Amino acid sequence: MVWLDLLKPIMKQIRRPKHVVVKFVVKFFPPDHAQLQEELTRYLFALQVKQDLAQGRLTCNDTSAALLISHIVQSETGDFDETIDREHLAKNKYIPQQETLEDKIMEFHRNHIGQTPAESDFQLLEIARRLEMYGIRLHPAKDREGTKINLAVANTGILVFQGHTKINAFNWAKVRKLSFKRKRFLIKLRPDVNSSFQDTLEFLMASRDFCKSFWKICVEHHAFFRLFEEPKPKPKPILFTRGSSFRFSGRTQKQVLDYVKEGGHKKVQFERKHSKIRSIRSLTVQPSEQHSEVPKQSCSFTFGDNADSPVVQSCRQGKELKASMEDIGQRKSPSLKKSPKEGGKVDGVVMATMEEEEEVSKDRTQQNRSQSQQPSTAGSLTGSPHLSELSINSQGAPVVANMSLSPNLSPDAKQSSPLVSPLLNDPSGIRTEEEEEVRRKRFPTDKAYFIAKEVSTTERTYLKDLEVITSWFQSTVSKDDCMPDTLKNLLFSNFEPLHKFHTSFLKEIEQRLALWEGRSNAHIKGDYQRIGDVMLKNIQSMKQLTVHLRKHNEVLMELENGIKNSRKLEALCKDFELQKVCYLPLNTFLLRPLHRLMHYKQIMERLCKHYPPNHVDFRDSRAALAEISEMVAQLHGSMIKMENFQKLHELKKDLIGIDNLVIPGREFIRLGSLSKLSGKGLQQRMFFLFNDVLLYTSRGLTASNQFKVHGQLPLYGMTIEESEEEWGVPHCLTLRGQHQSIIVAASTRAEMDKWTEDIQMAIDLAEKSSGPTPELLASSPPDNKSPDETTVDQESEDDLSASRTSLERQSPHRGNTTVHVCWHRNTSVSMIDFSIAVENQLSGNLLRKFKNSNGWQKLWVVFTNFCMFFYKSHQDNHPLASLPLLGYSLTIPSESENIHKDYVFKLHFKSHVYYFRAESEYTFERWMEVIRSATSSASRTRVFSHKESHVY
């Protein structure tokens, strides 16, 4: 068998066409079927599995074989019917000696009622990928002793089999060189850390041609899965040749992902030739009521990443789909969603993740304007409850045509980001300049008016956040009895009065603004161009709600305890976080009322600073400021503790391999991405700094996108020193603990300084404590409630590319959390940054323009949690898209950019550029102020002067 080169004419590669059988076969098997986005691609891979079963290549026990065949039968015949099943199995042989398995096949098929062909394909691949012989093509050989063995190659490296049993594996990270001499196949391994010699393994194959063929396949697998870009051709020698000039041709996996992210792939509609039923609904991770409106066929499926979570990435590479040509109606290249990462950045695929950015080229903008909106689906990275149809957590929710989500945070500057969606880019959303100017002139120009308007816009968002608890979450809880009545009463009895009060508060503010603008009751005489009196009246009334605000600490702790003690409640909360309305972690909404008090205080401070002492509104504004300052002072200490408690629980969801992260006295300090020096070179790791311990983790390809804890360094007795010269690595630090030392490198000098400062501060705190803390992390499985995530700590770092998706428990995870953004942007944030972010929240209308488009589009924008969330209007219940801003730069457009408008600011990260236009000088300055807090970390000096009673 010889592989055809997709980039060369077939006729030049086949000498005698009449005597050649051409097949469409799978060559590169991804480590996880969830990497395949398109339904068509999964169908083709399912055909490959079906053929491997029939030909005896995919060996497995009888139970696995029966389960595999039951899913094939479900996709081809539909729901279980004993008569139809027996007839179908009699006519179709899926495996040798099938007759002995027929009863077991039908028993399994009985359990698949309602499963669509697309879902059957997914389940088939889920089971198949767990089998040892999945994707394995055996090549007969002998070892040095003459023992018959089989060699194979996979995405992880070269495998050695005896019969059908794997007896050895050589990971790509361990292989230094592959070569062949006549019929001898040679593997040169990297020197072991503890020895100075190099090991060379030798295998004998049947002939030189067999040996060379296997060597070529190995070279291609290494290049496709491990290299950033296609290897350059070997230069032609002038006099004579030495060695083979063979190189892998075609896109590598990373190039494929980039190609898809730039919008290069097109969806292909197809009809299953062998299926008697049609795929009547697209495949989603967790089919539910909210997904019932997903359009038919050709759904991009994503699972476990992030999103990026996880990324929407497709592969236009010619991949091995070994189904006969008569089995395939149309040819479509497989799609990959995420790439395994093992080793450092030089020899590995940069893993992309979860972000909802938007970018559009001129031709696509024009296309969106001209075409009508048609239903379609787009792939999305699971994991985050933060986004909606256009978000990376849509989970197959309905979206519209011409939209391609590409939530990518990869450091590659050439990668463009997502999408253009008609929902956010239809012609009706683009205002003409004349309309905008007329509207602008109609409103007051007083700064106090815009301060009052900020109260109104942010109050709208606050009310929506309260409704997440009082309406959406309460409705979810009422359908299930998993929450104890005491917790239910405690939670909702404290939030419902707040929602009722702020509903009337918002109405009163909006009525005052309408009078101020002259839009209503213009005939009534009176001075309505003030807001202090309204604020004073409502803040005084708010003091009566302090009793509810004081209980929020108890509410947060009781909810977390309830989740800890009840698997059912935990599942309910996880499912709720995946709903579109829950665009932030659920427990964040419980802190919103306390955060809102600080917003009122800041707003009143700005208003009092603006007014002269003789202004008619000055006295009421000063009184309102005094009242709200008193409330904030009373609740501030409780809020600081709640923020730390909430952050620890949030981090707990992102980590596996740790038992007791949330303990009394533990305080979170900083998290971020650093490179750790090991025997394989610099490898990216995620670090978590607390006041007693430093954890380092890596992100494996798990279903939940979590970070696996690799090690811990107790801070007691630790020393830290710069070691750039010693190791020859820029921005390098050596952390010396009492039992272990590690060398880490930051991406920039500024990042290194922030880590140095915080680690030294944490060491000082640990030294002042009573002594070294006991072993706080467990090497045992993290949580006995999650059996699917057990034993992962026993895996080596080389095994991180292996997927650990659970068939029984497919639990999507948020892929655009701050942790994941830091991982892909190579940056870090501290608890101080989180605390400042709480204060810097803003809502309002902005005009947005892409760098390649002409029109400005009006959007309702909510800025919170280092992220901009985009809505069509403030009445929407959930965001349509989001843009995490960590790592972005905030500037003013230059003259060369031809943005001839006032109040415009520019956000850019590598090739992503967005322009936003505010309605006034005040709102422009406010947006600049709050966004700057996310795009640049605060200095500690400024923070301490700003927050006297900070947790540190």
Side-chain angles (χ1 to χ4, degrees), residues 390-455:
L390 301 189
S391 75
I392 47 185
N393 183 46
S394 55
Q395 293 292 332
V399 290
V400 282
N402 305 324
M403 181 191 77
S404 74
L405 291 184
S406 194
N408 194 307
L409 297 157
S410 171
D412 188 354
K414 295 180 182 178
Q415 293 179 346
S416 66
S417 77
L419 86 280
V420 139
S421 156
L423 283 178
L424 289 179
N425 295 278
D426 59 15
S428 61
I430 301 176
R431 288 181 171 272
T432 64
E433 302 307 319
E434 293 80 6
E435 285 176 335
E436 201 56 40
E437 289 305 320
V438 170
R439 177 183 163 280
R440 209 177 280 260
K441 291 175 181 177
R442 194 172 67 236
F443 288 144
T445 56
D446 183 13
K447 183 178 178 179
Y449 163 77
F450 292 107
I451 294 175
K453 193 168 183 181
E454 182 182 335
V455 178

Side-chain angles (χ1 to χ4, degrees), residues 644-662:
N644 184 68
F645 182 78
Q646 184 266 337
K647 187 54 61 182
L648 290 176
H649 275 282
E650 197 57 33
L651 292 178
K652 184 180 175 183
K653 298 176 186 177
D654 283 312
L655 295 171
I656 51 176
I658 179 167
D659 273 343
N660 44 0
L661 182 67
V662 186

Side-chain angles (χ1 to χ4, degrees), residues 661-713:
L661 182 67
V662 186
I663 60 172
R666 173 165 291 163
E667 295 172 357
F668 164 69
I669 297 178
R670 180 175 289 276
L671 64 85
S673 172
L674 293 171
S675 296
K676 178 177 173 289
L677 190 62
S678 68
K680 301 173 188 176
L682 285 173
Q683 294 183 309
Q684 187 181 11
R685 294 288 178 259
M686 196 71 185
F687 282 74
F688 298 83
L689 177 64
F690 302 93
N691 63 336
D692 58 345
V693 68
L694 176 66
L695 309 181
Y696 58 92
T697 69
S698 65
R699 196 181 73 163
L701 300 186
T702 61
S704 52
N705 254 349
Q706 291 166 298
F707 289 83
K708 173 190 168 186
V709 177
H710 281 300
Q712 57 169 319
L713 279 78

